[in-house]
Amino acid sequence: AQSVTQPDIHITVSEGASLELRCNYSYGATPYLFWYVQSPGQGLQLLLKYFSGDTLVQGIKGFEAEFKRSQSSFNLRKPSVHWSDAAEYFCAVAPLFSGSARQLTFGSGTQLTVLP
Amino acid sequence: GAGVSQSPSNKVTEKGKDVELRCDPISGHTALYWYRQSLGQGLEFLIYFQGNSAPDKSGLPSDRFSAERTGGSVSTLTIQRTQQEDSAVYLCASSRSAPGLNNSPLHFGNGTRLTVT
């Protein structure tokens, strides 16, 4: 069965600092990978997704993520964090060519705090 | 509306009572999903509706949970005889079509926070 691990429950960074949120997945083949962000009291918003091609994908709000097959990782990065980036971030994985979000597995999330 | 709308945003209920949670998907979206988000957990799939097809109910945790989707639009998630462990945020999402992921991303509502006392 596929699984997603986000090893950092909570990360604190200063505004303007760089950010990397870790995500490791377990799956028998290359999966479909996602990062979502959830602001307080809000639903989830898709930041970026990967399913083929260039392993470095660009998303909204200045985020990017790099797929590393050898490490089974899909870490999220941002060069300079803004206070508005404080939120919870979820990594998710689904089988490639998934026909339904039924097979979408979410990690347990990483809470990001941004210090002024 | 512009996005997925869920109501109520917060619901406090006593153990043993029934609750109904509502989801209005984005107009024209044929696929609708319910997820449960418990404290410190990822999202747990509950149920999936696609057009007029029979729903995928495989994620419902018990027979106290049920959902329907009327007219291919609005959906209601019903929890009967609520228990304290049902306390969670219930998120609804919709997408333009199936397959839900390849080219039709999920759009999430803001969720309903359910507290069972």
Side-chain angles (χ1 to χ4, degrees), chain A residues 88-104:
Chain A
E88 188 152 23
Y89 292 79
F90 291 91
C91 182
V93 59
L96 202 57
F97 305 119
S98 171
S100 165
R102 167 66 180 95
Q103 297 159 298
L104 187 62

Side-chain angles (χ1 to χ4, degrees), chain A residues 32 34 36 38 41-44 46 49 90 94 97-102 104 106-108, chain B residues 33 35 37 40-43 45 48 56 58 91 98-102 105-106 108-110:
Chain A
Y32 206 165
F34 307 81
Y36 284 87
Q38 184 180 32
Q42 305 289 312
L44 276 70
L46 181 66
K49 61 184 178 182
F90 291 91
F97 305 119
S98 171
S100 165
R102 167 66 180 95
L104 187 62
F106 286 85
S108 55
Chain B
Y33 315 81
Y35 288 88
Q37 184 179 23
Q41 304 290 317
L43 273 68
F45 168 82
Y48 162 60
D56 176 355
S58 57
L91 289 167
L101 299 177
N102 290 359
L106 299 183
F108 282 84
N110 291 344

Side-chain angles (χ1 to χ4, degrees), chain B residues 44-61:
Chain B
E44 174 189 7
F45 168 82
L46 296 178
I47 189 168
Y48 162 60
F49 296 89
Q50 172 53 45
N52 296 321
S53 303
D56 176 355
K57 304 179 181 180
S58 57
L60 295 178

Side-chain angles (χ1 to χ4, degrees), chain A residues 37-71:
Chain A
V37 61
Q38 184 180 32
S39 298
Q42 305 289 312
L44 276 70
Q45 180 183 21
L46 181 66
L47 282 176
L48 48 79
K49 61 184 178 182
Y50 169 81
F51 73 98
S52 70
D54 192 344
T55 56
L56 183 63
V57 294
Q58 303 297 319
I60 62 172
K61 304 185 180 186
F63 285 91
E64 65 179 26
E66 185 172 14
F67 168 60
K68 292 186 177 180
R69 185 193 307 273
S70 61
Q71 299 177 16

Side-chain angles (χ1 to χ4, degrees), chain B residues 17-32:
Chain B
K17 301 284 189 182
D18 297 352
V19 295
E20 284 190 353
L21 312 180
R22 176 186 169 106
C23 172
D24 274 285
I26 293 173
S27 178
H29 279 195
T30 60
L32 186 149

Side-chain angles (χ1 to χ4, degrees), chain B residues 49-94:
Chain B
F49 296 89
Q50 172 53 45
N52 296 321
S53 303
D56 176 355
K57 304 179 181 180
S58 57
L60 295 178
S62 78
D63 59 8
R64 296 187 295 104
F65 287 72
S66 63
E68 62 178 22
R69 188 178 185 191
T70 54
S73 181
V74 172
S75 177
T76 302
L77 177 69
T78 301
I79 309 173
Q80 295 178 308
R81 305 180 303 281
T82 53
Q83 304 294 312
Q84 288 186 330
E85 60 263 28
D86 299 334
S87 296
V89 175
Y90 290 81
L91 289 167
C92 177
S94 69

Side-chain angles (χ1 to χ4, degrees), chain A residues 8 12 14 20 22 26-27 38 44 47 54 60 64 66-67 69 71-72 74-76 84 87 95 98-99 109 112:
Chain A
D8 304 305
T12 300
S14 298
E20 182 168 31
R22 296 183 290 166
S26 173
Y27 186 63
Q38 184 180 32
L44 276 70
L47 282 176
D54 192 344
I60 62 172
E64 65 179 26
E66 185 172 14
F67 168 60
R69 185 193 307 273
Q71 299 177 16
S72 296
F74 189 57
N75 294 349
L76 182 72
S84 60
S98 171
L112 174 65

